[in-house]
Amino acid sequence: MKKSVEKKTRKINKWLYWTPRILSILFICFLAMFSLDVFGQGYTISQLIIALFMHNIPVFILLIILWISWKHEIVGGIVFILAGLLYILILLMQPQFEWYMLSWSLIIAGPAFLIGILWLMNWRRKRRK
């Protein structure tokens, strides 16, 4: 009976370890896809490189946060939750803001919140050991 519980606990710990990391990578790739719209704008090569860089600044920041969070889960938990909140706040400050747009913001802020919570759960589990 004790081995069964240990095996289940190990499985949950492994799942809790890998899930925020994999979801973070997928989320960052999802955000990077939004920068692909610069290819249809008719930019020169130098303008295209600058536009890609500008569109991917959040992606670069989140990649650095992911790298730090791999070892220090609390950083990922806090930053991903704050990133979701920041996205909603930026949306609220837009002059053309309409309340129905908040439901759209969940496409980006929702996964960020979920990933942040998973990072925090992993950090808490690690602290208990």
Side-chain angles (χ1 to χ4, degrees), residues 73-92:
E73 290 88 357
I74 186 78
V75 174
I78 292 170
V79 171
F80 273 90
I81 290 172
L82 287 177
L85 288 173
L86 179 66
Y87 181 74
I88 291 173
L89 286 174
I90 289 172
L91 182 68
L92 287 172

Side-chain angles (χ1 to χ4, degrees), residues 59-113:
V59 169
F60 298 139
I61 292 169
L62 286 177
L63 280 172
I64 293 168
I65 296 302
L66 174 62
W67 183 61
I68 294 168
S69 301
W70 210 277
K71 188 75 172 168
H72 307 285
E73 290 88 357
I74 186 78
V75 174
I78 292 170
V79 171
F80 273 90
I81 290 172
L82 287 177
L85 288 173
L86 179 66
Y87 181 74
I88 291 173
L89 286 174
I90 289 172
L91 182 68
L92 287 172
M93 292 189 301
Q94 297 298 317
Q96 69 274 17
F97 172 76
E98 297 288 335
W99 285 103
Y100 65 87
M101 292 177 176
L102 278 179
S103 64
W104 296 352
S105 71
L106 292 179
I107 294 171
I108 292 178
F113 292 145

Side-chain angles (χ1 to χ4, degrees), residues 28-43 48 51-56 59:
I28 291 168
C29 289
F30 174 69
L31 291 179
M33 284 188 345
F34 289 109
S35 67
L36 298 177
D37 68 340
V38 300
F39 287 105
Q41 303 298 322
Y43 293 136
L48 186 66
L52 278 172
F53 176 76
M54 295 298 290
H55 276 76
N56 283 311
V59 169

